[in-house]
Amino acid sequence: MSDVSPESNQDSTTDTTPDGPSISERATDFMGQANEILGKVDWSQMGKYGKAAGIIAVVIIAQIIIKVVVDTVNFFPLLPGLLELLGIVVVGQWSWQNLTTSEKRNAVVEKVQNLRKEYID
């Protein structure tokens, strides 16, 4: 038996290059097309997209941090119940101070409408 494999018996002098353009020519063509497309983009509008992406990223990070804090608070057995009680007390106190008379209720409605006009309209 011979130590030479059948693949090595092929003639190494044959040209195996494809009939199409070479890789460097295709890369140059692709880069030219990419530069042409990027040249048509209105880059002055890209700041809006960057700000939107940044806001979305900050919101996602804030939600992760809030989840970690809430999970940590829920880890302690008495703390969630005490915080719920504190929330009920704060809402009750705010309601007593701001909703007991019709004048106070009208003032609260007026404040909410002013905030709505300021931020939404």
Side-chain angles (χ1 to χ4, degrees), residues 20-86:
S22 69
I23 292 175
S24 63
E25 290 172 350
R26 287 189 286 179
T28 303
D29 184 42
F30 174 76
M31 291 303 292
Q33 290 175 354
N35 284 334
E36 182 180 331
I37 291 170
L38 290 175
K40 294 178 184 177
V41 174
D42 184 15
W43 292 103
S44 64
Q45 299 295 321
M46 287 298 132
K48 293 179 184 177
Y49 299 124
K51 288 179 185 176
I55 290 171
I56 290 170
V58 167
V59 167
I60 290 171
I61 291 170
Q63 288 179 343
I64 291 170
I65 291 171
I66 290 170
K67 182 189 180 307
V68 168
V69 169
V70 169
D71 287 344
T72 303
V73 167
N74 284 334
F75 179 70
F76 299 107
L78 292 177
L79 206 50
L82 291 175
L83 290 176
E84 186 176 344
L85 179 62
L86 177 65

Side-chain angles (χ1 to χ4, degrees), residues 2-3 10 13 31 38 45 64 76 79 81 90 100-102 105 109 117 119:
S2 97
D3 292 332
Q10 294 177 351
T13 60
M31 291 303 292
L38 290 175
Q45 299 295 321
I64 291 170
F76 299 107
L79 206 50
V90 168
T100 52
T101 65
S102 63
R105 288 189 294 270
V109 169
K117 286 180 185 176
Y119 291 107

